Amino acid sequence: MVMGDLVREVDVVVVGGGPGGYSAAFRCCELGLETIVVDANKRLGGVCLYDGCIPSKALLHVAAVIHEAESARDFGVEFGDPRISPDALRKWKAERVVGKLSRGLAAVAKGKGVEVVGGRAVFEDSRSLRVEGDEPQKIRFAHAVIATGALPTPLPGIAVGSERVMDSSAALELAEVPERLLVIGGGYIGLELGQVYAALGSQVTLVEMTDGLLPGVDRDLVQPLARRCQKFFGAIHLNTKVVDLREVGSRVEARLDGGGTQTVDRVLVAVGRRAQSEGLGLETTRVRVDQQGVIAVDERCRTDDPRIYAVGDVTGEPMLAHRAMRQGKVAAEVIAGRPAAFDNVVVPAVVFTDPEVAWCGLTEAEAQRTGRPVRLAKLQWAASGRAATLGRSDGLTKLVVDPDSGRLLGVGLVGPGAGELIAEGALAVETALLAEDLAATIHTHPTLSETLMEAAETLRTKDGPE
Ligand code: NAD
């Protein structure tokens, strides 16, 4: 077929089949709009399902099992040293986890009537785009939703075309478990995947350019994680950058800016992600893109082009799948003429390390930075019966509260299961609960969720609530 032979007319074309894109497409179909998704890989799920959230959490679960088995020694149960079969592990991750979810998503798409076209979409104007690749065609649309996500940021000034220097996607492939792994970047990915490789047996060295892990996150939440990383990683170098990477035989040599060289078997570069808006032909539309490639949108996910919407990582920080999903649904509803807006108060964040770190709403650091007066309630998990039964008393629950009204402004958690517990915090802040409401809600005993109630109780005064 000659490109352009086929011209399709649809209500909505969604560019990109990740969580933002498929959420938008599913909701559009539910609202009666004929919808096509164009995805370079002709599948739904995106980076999240194939190269990000899901495979990394599968591997983190494996790491947790290894650590649980090790720490069982403390209470008199010995399993012996783990024997890891990388082939079986890769197969389980690819087939039983990713493959299963992928088939599920495809079935949902079919059920809702979402068509997925394989290829690269390039806008030709504000009403049409062409699809390049195996299924070339033109699509005329009433509305488009751009959901093209983000790409790993390369190390500035250092280009190494070696499979030993991996981004997160390559690291998740688990081609091998290197004896020595250098992780560049102490953010979400560096810490999550650093812990995975450390659990599988790699000696991990982590290099972070700022003065602490997870920059921007409250220090008291990061501290228990930093302590655990210090225990399980070979070394952590803060205030350090890699200035040169060189492949030498089957090794990689990394030169650090403070002096010194690390010789390792593999390197993981995890220094952030950048919006993916290049090559989309956006110059033929009125969509505004900033110097970082981020597409500007309003609270209804509208770009400057009235027919084109954008959702997810391509619209900037926070680059989190659950934000993209919510934006996707908002975009669909707005296109269908409903009064929706992305007016959420909180976008909760979770780092799925051991211990997990999670927060939502106002953080203590942000309150300090902006000079906003707040009351803080902190409950160490050493006081939690449930934490003691798990052998993990290293957690912390923190509430950030408005001093006048007692309203919850933010919640921070560190500890095993923090990623699940933050849902209660998100609901509380989103719905403007008072700390007193948390204190008066019966929480099941003994659970880690009690720490939210007990933290709120510490704010009670003898003269009554708040
Ligand atoms: P990140 O922004 O979380 O962390 C990057 C880290 O690299 C920062 O600590 C930064 O100071 C450091 N850094 C930057 N340049 C450096 C350099 N030259 N040398 C040494 N350190 C350097 O980015 P990421 O870990 O790559 O993850 C990207 C994004 O993916 C995250 O911001 C997040 O939005 C998303 N993500 C989310 C999850 C989750 O929700 N659990 C997991 C993985 C990724």
Side-chain angles (χ1 to χ4, degrees), residues 23-242:
S23 300
F26 290 173
R27 191 76 190 116
C28 281
C29 278
E30 286 163 12
L31 294 168
L33 299 165
E34 194 195 336
T35 305
I36 288 181
V37 177
V38 181
D39 185 272
N41 294 306
K42 194 174 166 54
R43 63 188 185 190
L44 300 182
V47 170
C48 167
L49 176 53
Y50 298 97
D51 290 317
C53 318
I54 299 297
S56 65
K57 264 79 267 179
L59 294 179
L60 279 159
H61 174 65
V62 174
V65 170
I66 292 170
H67 282 304
E68 289 268 297
E70 266 166 22
S71 57
R73 282 199 187 104
D74 296 350
F75 41 81
V77 181
E78 288 229 19
F79 292 98
D81 288 336
R83 280 201 308 273
I84 295 155
S85 310
D87 284 343
L89 179 51
R90 278 191 291 266
K91 193 162 180 253
W92 168 74
K93 171 173 71 72
E95 291 173 15
R96 303 273 295 279
V97 183
V98 175
K100 183 165 178 269
L101 292 171
S102 174
R103 288 189 294 279
L105 261 183
V108 174
K110 199 168 171 209
K112 290 188 189 291
V114 174
E115 186 187 342
V116 184
V117 168
R120 283 190 49 80
V122 181
F123 283 86
E124 298 199 317
D125 55 47
S126 300
R127 288 299 305 270
S128 60
L129 56 76
R130 67 175 183 276
V131 179
E132 298 176 347
D134 292 344
E135 301 176 70
Q137 55 196 283
K138 280 196 181 203
I139 299 176
R140 260 182 81 73
F141 54 81
H143 290 100
V145 180
I146 303 171
T148 45
L151 287 169
T153 308
L155 265 186
I158 305 176
V160 200
S162 161
E163 65 174 24
R164 300 194 164 275
V165 178
M166 311 179 287
D167 60 16
S168 52
S169 306
L172 286 165
E173 291 288 322
L174 213 65
E176 65 171 8
V177 178
E179 207 177 307
R180 288 160 305 176
L181 174 73
L182 175 67
V183 174
I184 307 177
Y188 284 77
I189 294 176
L191 291 168
E192 289 183 358
L193 292 185
Q195 286 200 340
V196 165
Y197 275 91
L200 294 178
S202 296
Q203 157 119 342
V204 174
T205 300
L206 186 140
V207 170
E208 161 58 43
M209 76 175 182
T210 68
D211 61 2
L213 303 177
L214 290 178
V217 181
D218 285 354
R219 292 300 90 190
D220 52 0
L221 299 180
V222 176
Q223 207 186 46
L225 169 61
R227 272 201 297 267
R228 208 164 162 87
C229 289
Q230 264 146 15
K231 188 169 161 195
F232 290 106
F233 289 1
I236 298 176
H237 300 280
L238 301 176
N239 296 308
T240 306
K241 275 195 203 169
V242 170

Side-chain angles (χ1 to χ4, degrees), residues 251-327:
R251 309 256 185 276
V252 183
E253 274 181 19
R255 206 150 51 77
L256 310 184
D257 62 355
T261 305
Q262 294 280 329
T263 303
V264 292
D265 304 289
R266 284 193 178 240
V267 176
L268 164 62
V269 179
V271 295
R273 294 179 67 83
R274 64 193 154 101
Q276 187 175 9
S277 58
E278 260 178 41
L280 284 174
L282 294 178
E283 59 288 352
T284 64
T285 71
R286 284 161 55 189
V287 173
R288 189 159 46 89
V289 182
D290 76 9
Q291 286 200 324
Q292 274 72 49
V294 172
I295 296 180
V297 287
D298 67 10
E299 77 287 357
R300 297 186 198 281
C301 303
R302 294 179 296 204
T303 69
D304 284 6
D305 193 311
R307 292 190 176 273
I308 304 178
Y309 291 64
V311 302
D313 292 3
V314 76
T315 66
E317 298 285 350
M319 294 190 184
L320 299 171
H322 42 277
R323 167 179 171 264
M325 293 187 209
R326 170 81 190 130
Q327 283 183 314

Side-chain angles (χ1 to χ4, degrees), residues 216-218 359-368 374 398 400 409-410:
V217 181
D218 285 354
W359 64 97
C360 70
L362 185 65
T363 63
E364 183 180 354
E366 180 69 2
Q368 267 168 8
V374 290
K398 174 159 75 170
V400 181
L409 302 173

